[in-house]
Structures are given as structure tokens and as C-alpha cells.
Amino acid sequence: MISFTIRGIRTELRFSFLLFNSLIFLIKDQQTILCFYGGCIIHELGHILAAAIAGIKTERIILSGTGITINAEKNAVLPLNRGIFLLLSGPVINIFFAGITALSGGSMLFVTINLYLCIYNLLPFPCLDGGAALELLINGYPHEYGIRILLAIIRYTLVLVPAAAIVYGMREAFPIFLILLFLNLLNLKK
């Protein structure tokens, strides 16, 4: 892990981030790479803008294989609605920019990648925005245990669907299978 501080914000660059980026650069199409990184930057700027609106100072940025995590100040206790607002601001800004780009006749590749980033970040894994938002919603809920079991079943099913597709000859599903398997393994670690 490489760690440095920029304007008082501790930034950590983890090996898994470098590995993920090396895999992205196996794609030979420069436009795809630029659209992907552009969508990622827009996504994270959505979170940073939402934090600024909520009056929360960013303390740490972590770049890892699952994406970029922005940690707010430790003593910031947020009401549920603000926490959900912060988590969902990234996917919402991806949809917003996809819509603006589509309506203005811009790159459909950029539109598609932003929609994929939105869907990916809304998956029910705690290390992603959608899973973290679900964690906030179910924490302390009377049926929390049952909902956690249901979410685990959904997460395992998300891995089994592309695995079945691979078995039936759809080799294109292999990268999706690997990503979902990785996210499930990260979830088991917690």
C-alpha cells in the first residue's frame, strides 16, 4: 500500500487498485478506457459534492480493486436520510450524466459505461454504494437477521447466474462471474 496526504486528506493506493487498472489497460480501445475513467471520476465527484452539501469533511480516500472509497470525518454522525443521500449520490450522478450525454447526442459508449457503473455500484454488496445503503436501512430493523439472510441468498445467486451461463457456453459471462465472486469473497471477509 502506498499512502500520501494531499491538502490534509490521507490517500491510500492499494495493490488491488493497481492490479485492477492493469486489467483495464488490457483493453486496447482508448475511447473505452477514457469513458470508463471519466465515469468513475464523475461518480466520485458526485459523492464529494454530496458530502460538501451535507457539510462533511473528507478525511481519507482509498483506491482499491473494488473502487474508490471516500471516508468522512470520524465524528460525523449523520441522520439516515443524509447517509443514504451520500451513498446514492454517485450512482445518481452517473445516471444524470448518461441522460445528459444521450439527450445531447454524445457518445453512446459513455452513456453505456455510466449506466454500467451505476448498476455495479447499486449491487447489494457492503463494499459498494447499494450494499452500504442497505446496511444503513436494515441496521436495527426488527427483521434484520432475515433480511441479511435474504441478501446473502441474492449475493450468491448473482454469482451463480453467470457461472451457469459459462457452463452453457456463454464465455462472455466469465469477467462478470469473476467480479461477482470477488465481491462475494470480500463480503465473507467482513
Side-chain angles (χ1 to χ4, degrees):
M1 175 179 69
I2 300 168
S3 179
F4 51 92
T5 303
I6 300 173
R7 294 187 176 215
I9 300 173
R10 181 179 165 86
T11 304
E12 296 175 6
L13 180 63
R14 297 194 175 158
F15 174 74
S16 59
F17 182 76
L18 298 173
L19 178 64
F20 175 77
N21 282 284
S22 67
L23 294 174
I24 288 292
F25 281 101
L26 290 175
I27 300 170
K28 302 287 187 231
D29 182 22
Q30 291 178 344
Q31 184 181 7
T32 303
I33 293 170
L34 288 173
C35 287
F36 174 76
Y37 283 111
C40 289
I41 290 168
I42 287 168
H43 179 91
E44 296 308 326
L45 288 175
H47 288 303
I48 291 169
L49 178 63
I53 290 169
I56 299 170
K57 181 180 180 266
T58 300
E59 282 195 348
R60 187 168 70 165
I61 298 173
I62 302 168
L63 296 95
S64 70
T66 57
I68 301 170
T69 305
I70 299 172
N71 290 345
E73 55 191 333
K74 291 178 184 168
N75 296 330
V77 178
L78 295 176
L80 179 65
N81 60 348
R82 280 194 181 179
I84 300 293
F85 168 69
L86 282 174
L87 288 167
L88 298 183
S89 61
V92 166
I93 203 90
N94 283 124
I95 290 174
F96 176 76
F97 272 89
I100 294 291
T101 304
L103 291 173
S104 67
S107 167
M108 287 312 290
L109 178 62
F110 186 71
V111 170
T112 304
I113 287 176
N114 269 284
L115 292 175
Y116 283 157
L117 285 170
C118 174
I119 292 167
Y120 172 76
N121 278 286
L122 290 176
L123 290 174
F125 296 94
C127 60
L128 300 174
D129 298 332
L134 285 171
E135 288 289 322
L136 284 178
L137 287 171
I138 66 171
N139 195 19
Y141 188 74
H143 302 289
E144 179 180 350
Y145 181 73
I147 294 170
R148 287 190 187 283
I149 290 173
L150 178 63
L151 286 173
I153 291 169
I154 291 169
R155 286 190 287 263
Y156 289 121
T157 303
L158 284 171
V159 174
L160 292 175
V161 168
I166 293 166
V167 169
Y168 286 104
M170 292 181 61
R171 292 187 180 146
E172 303 85 24
F174 190 68
I176 295 168
F177 168 74
L178 286 179
I179 290 167
L180 293 171
L181 181 64
F182 175 71
L183 290 171
N184 251 321
L185 292 173
L186 276 178
N187 188 55
L188 290 176
K189 197 175 177 183
K190 290 184 176 187

